[in-house]
């Protein structure tokens, strides 16, 4: 089964509106030859995830191109007294089609739990967004040999209550925390092993469906133009969630090309 690869840029708290628009313009001219395509035979699905306030400007800049725009988080309530949060309707009104949930920086610095990640994922789906849900072990967990147990707990919790049909709008990103922003990339063997494990887990969770075969599982953590080809060649790695290298047009374009 062929799965359309995904190259997603997580801009984190970087790039103001002018810088985001400039980056999108550079990416658009890079791919002007296939401006409106996002089909598997012509290349990967490409998503950029800017900060909330720059979503409208980035969406406007990406209009008419293959680039899709996502947000970096979503709250589960429709509205209310939730200072600092953002609703699904606010994101879709701004033009977002994708949303990241459960990023390790949210889990580590902002108290996200498996339970809130699940609520945010459900909110994304309820609002018609494609959800990129992040899982991954900390360095100590890898050293202790509990990587698979941690990833299994995170995947099962994040997908609790999600049915097989809804999974067409879910993308999983495996991001070993020790590889994020550190320059220490997982080896292709280490990454493939966990990706295959997640796919086998999907088979257990969604018995009797083709969810395991169709769900895209991205790698994230210091992916760059030098290591992307090796990672993307792995059987169960369907793309990348990219931080640092997504902030530079030439590097992100090289990653998109690597996924072609
Ligand atoms: P990085 O970040 O590519 O800078 O390691 C990846 C991520 O946090 O999604």
């Amino acid at each position: 089964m062929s799965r359309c690869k995904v190259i997603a840029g997580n801009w984190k708290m970087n790039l103001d509106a002018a810088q985001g628009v400039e980056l999108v313009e550079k990416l658009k001219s890079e791919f002007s030859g296939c401006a409106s395509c996002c089909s598997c035979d012509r290349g990967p699905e490409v998503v950029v995830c800017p900060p909330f306030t720059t979503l409208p400007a980035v969406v406007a800049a990406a209009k008419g191109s293959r680039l899709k725009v996502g947000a970096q988080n979503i709250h589960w309530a429709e509205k209310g007294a939730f200072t600092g949060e953002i609703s699904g309707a606010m994101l879709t009104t701004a033009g977002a089609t994708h949303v990241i949930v459960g990023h390790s920086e949210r889990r580590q610095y902002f108290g996200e739990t498996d339970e809130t990640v699940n609520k945010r994922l459900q909110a994304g789906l309820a609002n018609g967004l494609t959800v990129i849900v992040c899982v991954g072990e900390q360095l100590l967990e890898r050293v202790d040999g509990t990587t698979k147990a941690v990833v299994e707990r995170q995947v099962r919790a994040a997908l609790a209550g999600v049915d097989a049909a809804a999974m067409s709008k879910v993308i999983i990103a495996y991001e070993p925390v020790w590889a994020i922003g550190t320059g220490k990339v997982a080896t292709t063997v280490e990454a493939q092993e966990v990706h295959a494990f997640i796919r086998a887990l999907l088979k257990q969770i969604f018995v009797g469906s083709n969810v395991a075969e169709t769900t895209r599982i991205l790698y994230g953590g210091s992916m760059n133009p030098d290591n992307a080809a090796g990672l993307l060649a792995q059987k169960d790695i369907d793309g990348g969630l990219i931080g640092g290298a997504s902030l530079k047009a030439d590097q992100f374009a090289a990653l998109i090309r690597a996924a072609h």
Side-chain angles (χ1 to χ4, degrees):
M1 160 108 30
S2 84
R3 294 177 291 269
C4 183
K5 286 207 167 24
V6 182
I7 294 293
N10 174 10
W11 293 359
K12 308 191 180 183
M13 199 170 73
N14 294 294
L15 306 183
D16 62 23
Q19 291 166 328
V21 167
E22 192 188 333
L23 178 47
V24 166
E25 293 300 342
K26 283 188 186 155
L27 291 172
K28 271 167 64 174
S29 59
E30 177 81 22
F31 296 102
S32 53
C34 53
S36 62
C37 92
C38 62
S39 62
C40 298
D41 51 347
R42 307 228 0 228
E45 185 175 333
V46 184
V47 189
V48 293
C49 301
F52 297 138
T53 56
T54 67
L55 278 168
V58 172
V59 166
K63 207 161 184 242
S65 80
R66 58 181 298 149
L67 283 170
K68 295 174 182 171
V69 182
Q72 296 174 21
N73 209 351
I74 180 174
H75 192 266
W76 52 87
E78 279 173 33
K79 61 179 175 179
F82 302 104
T83 303
E85 293 287 337
I86 195 144
S87 74
M90 290 169 185
L91 297 179
T92 54
T93 304
T97 54
H98 290 60
V99 65
I100 297 170
V101 303
H103 191 278
S104 64
E105 286 150 16
R106 300 294 321 168
R107 295 179 192 256
Q108 204 173 343
Y109 307 132
F110 302 101
E112 296 270 348
T113 63
D114 287 340
E115 192 193 354
T116 59
V117 172
N118 174 251
K119 285 175 151 178
R120 292 181 196 273
L121 182 145
Q122 301 261 19
L125 294 177
N127 282 279
L129 293 160
T130 295
V131 180
I132 302 173
V133 58
C134 305
V135 297
E137 82 285 2
Q138 313 257 359
L139 180 58
L140 275 182
E141 294 163 337
R142 175 152 287 262
V143 173
D144 283 355
T146 52
T147 295
K148 287 180 182 167
V150 169
V151 168
E152 172 162 4
R153 190 202 76 225
Q154 291 174 335
V155 170
R156 284 190 184 277
L159 300 180
V162 176
D163 63 25
M167 283 300 290
S168 63
K169 291 269 217 176
V170 175
I171 296 170
I172 296 174
Y174 167 60
E175 302 202 300
V177 179
W178 48 271
I180 295 177
T182 58
K184 272 190 230 152
V185 67
T187 65
T188 52
V189 175
E190 285 170 333
Q192 165 58 27
E193 190 186 352
V194 181
H195 280 240
F197 173 75
I198 294 171
R199 204 172 298 289
L201 191 55
L202 293 176
K203 216 172 183 75
Q204 283 178 33
I205 300 172
F206 299 98
V207 183
S209 75
N210 65 352
V211 166
E213 289 77 28
T214 53
T215 300
R216 275 88 55 86
I217 307 175
L218 317 185
Y219 170 80
S222 298
M223 194 187 250
N224 63 41
D226 295 329
N227 58 35
L231 289 161
L232 294 171
Q234 301 305 305
K235 185 168 150 276
D236 291 298
I237 301 185
D238 306 311
L241 179 57
I242 297 120
S246 74
L247 300 175
K248 302 227 165 69
D250 55 340
Q251 292 193 17
F252 196 57
L255 288 164
I256 297 166
R257 277 195 295 274
H260 256 261

